[in-house]
C-alpha cells in the first residue's frame, strides 16, 4: 500500500536525508502556503538555514485546488547566484499542501532563445538574399517569354528553352531554401482549404510523367476507394510533397517505373511512392531526410541539392504527420508520408464497372498494378498478365461484359482478339507521344479506343464502358488582343530589366504605361489622378511599395481609392499579408503573366472608374 509523504511525521530525518541527497530543489508547503520542508539543494540555491524557512510563507505560483493534481511551470526567481529560471514540477496533496521539485533551466532557456533568435535571423537573411537572387532570375524568365513570341528559328527556340528551364530550376531551388528557413523559424503558415485529392494527384502525375517518359519509365497512380472526395489540407504544400517525392522517385529510377498511391484511415491521409530504382542501404536511410543529404546521388552523377526530402520532412511535421522510407538494395524503394487530413465529403459511392471485367495486358508491373487497383476501386473485377501469349486465355475466362486494356506494343494482337470475342471492348494503353497512332481513322484494326498513361480515374470509368467524355477547355486560352486598351497604368519598379518587361507586357495588351523607379516618385505621379491603377514593387529605394501604398491610401483626395497591385519576387504568405495590410488590392509575382494581369486589372479598373481619380 502506497503512503503519501508526510512532512509533519514525528521522525522526518530518514526522509530528510533522502531529500538532501537529491540534486534537485525540493519545497514542501501546507495548504496555507507555509513551508514545511526544504532540502539541502534548496538551501544552497536560496541561502539560510532550514529553520529559517520552516513555517515561512513562500509563494512560487498560485496553488491548484484539486488534490493530486500535478503541474509544471517555470518561475523567474532570485537565487544566491543571481536571477535564475526554475522549472517546478508540483503535486497537490490530499490535505491541500504541495510538494514541488525544481531544477535550474536558465541555460536551457537561454539556449532556446539564442537558437530561436538565430533561426529568425537566418530566415530574415534568406528572405533578403533570395529576393535579390529572384529579381534577376525573374527578369531572365520574363525576357525569355517576350523573346519566345518574337519569331525564332527552331534551333534558337531550343536554346531559349534551355535558358528558361535553367532559370526556372534556379528559382525552384531558391524557393526550397526559403521555405526550409521559414519552417525552421516556425514562420511558414499552412493554409488549409478544401482539396480534391484525386484531381491534385492526377494533375501532378501528368506533369511528372513527361520526365518519366523521357527516361522510358512507366508512371501511374492509384487512389483507394476509401479516400474522401474532398479533404481539408494546404493544396500548395501537398503539391510540394507530391512533386518532391514523385520527382525524387523518377530521378533515381532508370528502368521500370513509379507508382503513386493514396489511402485514408481514421482521419489520416497516407501517400506512398513506390519505385523500381536501385534501392537504398539501411545505413543511408537514416540520413536521407537531412539538409543537403543526397544518399546514393553522392556516388553517381544524379543532379540535385539534397533539399527535397528535407523539405518533405519539415512540411509533414508542420502538418503533425510523419515520413519515412522502406527499401533494400536492388529492391527499389517506397517513400511514404502520412498526416491528419479531415474529410469534408465521403468517398465516391459510384461503382460504374461493377458488372464488368477489366483485363490488363502490359509488360509493365507498375501499370498493371495501378490499373488493377483503379478498376477495383470502380467496382470492376480484374485479370492481368505480363505475357502477350496469355491474353487470349484471359479473354476466354472473362465473365459477362469485358474490357481489355492492351499495351501499345501489343496493339497488333487486337484483330485476332476481336475475332475471338466480338463483344470485347479493346482499349490501347498509350503515352502522350504515341497516342496519335491510335487516334487516326487508319489506325490499327480492332481498337475501340485508347487511354493515355497515367490514366485518370474518370477516363477509365468512361472509356471502359464505351462512354464519351466532354473535352476539357484548353488550360491556356488565347489572350484577347489589346485587352487593356484605354487603361493608364503606372509601374513603380527600380530594376530596369523587370521594368522593361512590365512596360512591354502591358503595352502589348494595349495599356498606356508610365514607369518610375522609387516609391516617392510613384506617390508624386499618382497625385495628378491620371492613372487607372498602379503596380508597386515592394522593395524600392527612398520609399518601398508598402510605404507608398500606405501613403497613397492616406491622401485626402479621390486618388486614395486608386487600385494598387503589389509586385514582388517572393510569393510568400507573409508578403501577401503585408501587402493587404498596407492597403494593396492585389498581389502579383514576377515575372508578370499576361493572363493574370488581364484578370486583375480588368476586375479592379471598371470602365466607369477609368482615369477618374483627378
Amino acid at each position: 500500500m502506497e503512503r503519501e509523504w508526510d512532512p509533519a511525521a514525528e521522525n522526518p530525518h530518514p526522509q530528510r536525508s533522502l531529500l538532501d541527497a537529491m540534486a534537485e530543489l525540493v519545497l514542501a508547503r501546507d495548504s496555507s502556503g507555509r513551508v514545511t520542508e526544504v532540502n539541502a539543494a534548496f538551501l544552497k540555491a536560496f541561502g539560510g538555514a532550514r529553520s529559517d524557512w520552516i513555517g515561512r510563507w513562500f509563494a512560487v505560483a498560485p496553488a491548484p485546488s484539486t488534490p493530486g493534481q500535478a503541474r509544471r511551470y517555470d518561475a523567474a526567481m532570485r537565487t544566491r547566484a543571481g536571477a535564475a529560471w526554475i522549472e517546478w514540477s508540483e503535486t497537490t496533496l490530499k490535505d491541500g499542501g504541495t510538494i514541488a521539485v525544481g531544477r535550474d533551466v536558465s541555460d536551457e532557456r537561454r539556449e532556446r532563445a539564442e537558437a530561436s533568435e538565430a533561426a529568425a535571423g537566418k530566415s530574415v537573411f534568406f528572405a533578403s538574399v533570395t529576393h535579390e537572387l529572384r529579381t534577376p532570375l525573374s527578369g531572365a524568365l520574363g525576357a525569355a517569354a517576350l523573346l519566345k513570341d518574337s519569331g525564332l528559328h527552331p534551333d534558337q527556340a531550343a536554346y531559349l528553352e534551355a535558358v528558361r528551364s535553367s532559370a526556372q530550376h534556379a528559382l525552384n531551388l531558391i524557393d526550397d531554401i526559403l521555405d526550409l528557413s521559414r519552417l525552421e523559424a516556425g514562420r511558414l503558415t499552412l493554409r488549409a482549404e478544401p482539396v480534391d485529392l484525386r484531381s491534385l494527384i492526377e494533375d501532378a502525375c501528368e506533369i511528372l510523367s513527361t520526365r518519366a517518359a523521357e527516361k522510358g519509365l512507366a508512371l501511374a497512380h492509384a487512389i483507394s476507394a476509401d479516400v474522401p472526395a474532398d479533404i481539408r489540407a494546404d493544396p500548395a504544400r501537398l503539391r510540394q510533397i507530391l512533386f518532391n517525392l514523385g520527382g525524387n522517385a523518377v530521378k533515381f529510377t532508370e528502368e521500370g517505373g513509379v507508382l503513386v498511391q493514396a489511402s485514408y484511415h481514421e482521419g489520416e491521409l497516407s501517400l506512398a511512392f513506390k519505385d523500381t530504382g536501385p534501392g537504398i542501404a539501411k545505413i543511408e536511410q537514416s540520413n536521407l531526410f537531412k539538409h543537403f543529404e543526397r544518399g546514393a546521388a553522392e556516388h553517381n552523377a544524379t543532379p540535385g541539392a539534397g533539399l527535397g526530402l528535407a523539405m518533405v520532412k519539415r512540411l509533414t511535421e508542420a502538418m503533425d504527420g510523419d515520413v519515412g522510407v522502406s527499401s533494400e538494395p536492388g529492391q527499389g524503394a517506397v517513400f511514404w508520408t502520412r498526416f491528419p487530413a479531415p474529410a469534408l465529403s465521403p468517398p465516391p459511392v459510384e461503382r460504374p464497372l461493377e458488372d464488368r471485367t477489366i483485363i490488363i495486358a502490359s509488360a509493365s508491373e507498375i501499370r498493371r498494378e495501378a490499373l488493377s487497383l483503379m478498376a477495383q476501386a470502380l467496382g470492376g473485377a480484374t485479370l492481368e498478365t505480363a505475357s502477350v501469349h496469355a491474353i487470349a486465355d484471359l479473354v476466354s475466362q472473362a465473365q459477362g461484359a469485358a474490357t481489355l486494356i492492351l499495351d501499345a506494343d501489343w496493339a497488333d494482337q487486337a484483330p485476332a482478339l476481336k475475332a475471338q470475342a466480338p463483344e470485347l471492348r479493346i482499349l490501347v494503353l498509350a503515352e502522350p507521344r504515341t497516342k496519335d497512332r491510335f487516334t487516326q481513322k487508319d489506325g490499327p484494326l480492332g481498337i475501340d479506343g485508347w487511354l493515355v498513361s497515367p490514366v485518370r480515374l474518370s477516363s477509365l470509368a468512361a472509356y471502359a464502358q464505351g462512354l464519351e467524355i466532354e473535352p476539357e477547355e484548353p488550360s491556356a486560352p488565347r489572350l484577347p488582343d489589346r485587352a487593356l486598351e484605354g487603361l493608364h497604368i503606372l509601374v513603380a519598379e527600380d530594376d530596369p530589366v523587370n521594368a522593361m518587361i512590365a512596360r512591354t507586357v502591358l503595352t502589348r495588351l494595349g495599356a498606356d504605361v508610365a514607369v518610375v523607379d522609387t516609391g516617392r516618385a510613384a506617390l508624386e505621379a499618382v497625385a495628378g489622378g491620371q492613372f487607372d491603377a498602379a503596380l508597386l514593387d515592394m522593395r524600392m529605394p527612398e520609399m518601398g511599395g508598402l510605404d507608398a501604398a500606405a501613403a497613397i491610401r492616406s491622401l485626402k483626395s479621390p486618388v486614395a481609392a486608386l487600385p494598387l497591385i503589389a509586385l514582388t519576387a517572393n510569393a510568400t504568405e507573409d508578403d501577401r499579408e503585408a501587402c493587404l495590410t498596407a492597403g494593396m488590392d492585389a498581389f502579383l509575382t514576377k515575372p508578370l503573366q499576361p493572363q493574370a494581369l488581364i484578370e486583375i486589372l480588368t476586375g479592379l479598373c471598371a470602365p466607369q472608374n477609368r482615369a477618374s481619380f483627378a
Side-chain angles (χ1 to χ4, degrees), residues 198-199 202-203 206 221 374 451-452 454-461 472:
R198 286 173 173 78
S199 295
E202 289 175 346
D203 291 343
E206 284 186 359
H221 52 76
M374 292 172 70
L451 294 168
V452 177
V455 179
R456 286 181 174 264
L457 196 69
S458 58
S459 298
L460 176 60
E472 296 182 359

Side-chain angles (χ1 to χ4, degrees), residues 367-414:
R367 289 192 174 123
R368 292 199 311 274
E369 183 177 357
L371 287 169
S372 181
L373 290 171
M374 292 172 70
Q376 291 168 20
L378 293 168
T382 59
L383 299 170
E384 56 180 271
T385 180
S387 170
V388 66
H389 304 295
I391 301 175
D393 289 340
L394 292 186
V395 170
S396 63
Q397 295 175 27
Q399 301 292 322
T403 296
L404 169 64
I405 301 176
L406 189 63
D407 197 300
D409 292 337
W410 299 340
D412 58 352
Q413 302 293 313

